[in-house]
Amino acid sequence: RLIIDEVQKVPQLLDALQYIIDNYHVQCVITGSSARKLKRGMSNLLGGRAVQRFLFPFIWNEIRDIGRLEEVLVYGTLPPVIITSNLHRRRDILVAYTETYIREEIQAEGIIRKVGSFSRFIDMAAAQFGEQVSYSEIARECQLPVMTVKSYYEILEDTLIGIVLKPYRKSIRKRLAAHPKVYFFDNGVVNAINGHLGELNDHSLAGRLFEQFIICETYRHLKYFQSNVQIYYWRTNTGAEVDLLLVRNNRITGAFEIKYSGQIGSTHLTGLRAFNDDNPGVPCYVICRADQPYTIGNVKIINWQDYLKILNKLFEIRR
């Protein structure tokens, strides 16, 4: 067995790997943090010889015996962070990661030319995580061309730093033209960029981080189970919104609001009611911190840990 890490730094190796695979039938494991450089450089992507798999920070099921939700919301689930309980060490790891990798190594790989402009963009993108992206607004704030901002968001997605949720439209063309939402792959990383590595006293920020945590967990499960389910969000022109849709074969299998609250009332269901009016019959849920499951009308209220435990069964995610 042959294992090569960070293959994107020496893409010429892929030609040699093809020769080895074809002539010696050696099993090869090739890892890297970005396929962007390989794709843009017209590298040999080993078509027909390689399968793609993803490896993310820890999912909750891997750390549930040692983790606490509040700590995960602040410090995330990167392995070096999880294995230390020292808060100063956690902060040092996350700050070093954001400075060394996100701001410097991406430039070193030749993906971008001006690290200063990309650094300004990162600050703005992190500040607006989980919100609808307006390329023109961010371009104005960062003093960058709109097309540059779009290319920077593509970099976040290609390097697995950003998770892009598009608004659900029945027309695929309209989906591509609409404003996406972008979440960061780890709460600790986004908090390090935003300077929020500390006590979680802001309820509004806690809600956004909880939403990002659930989106990341869902995305990781989908990738690990190699599911053909796709994830979207839903929003009307009047602002009614649902945080997460799961769609399989262009059919919506579930709609989910994500709330940090421990008690859900009728006022939390505005978006799901609007969604249900347009999409009757689709199961609707609120993922929250409620102690016990219950229903309000046709909406099921479920605890976030229960959601994660039954994710593959509840949403038909199969190998």
Side-chain angles (χ1 to χ4, degrees), residues 42-65:
M42 302 299 291
S43 300
N44 182 350
L45 298 181
L46 302 176
R49 299 172 179 84
V51 295
Q52 188 178 55
R53 296 291 183 265
F54 295 87
L55 186 62
F56 300 102
F58 286 126
I59 60 173
W60 177 257
N61 284 340
E62 295 174 309
I63 61 170
R64 61 187 178 186
D65 293 333

Side-chain angles (χ1 to χ4, degrees), residues 124-142:
M124 181 62 67
Q128 297 188 0
F129 76 91
E131 298 178 3
Q132 272 193 317
V133 173
S134 170
Y135 297 118
S136 58
E137 180 181 331
I138 292 177
R140 184 171 57 254
E141 292 289 337
C142 296

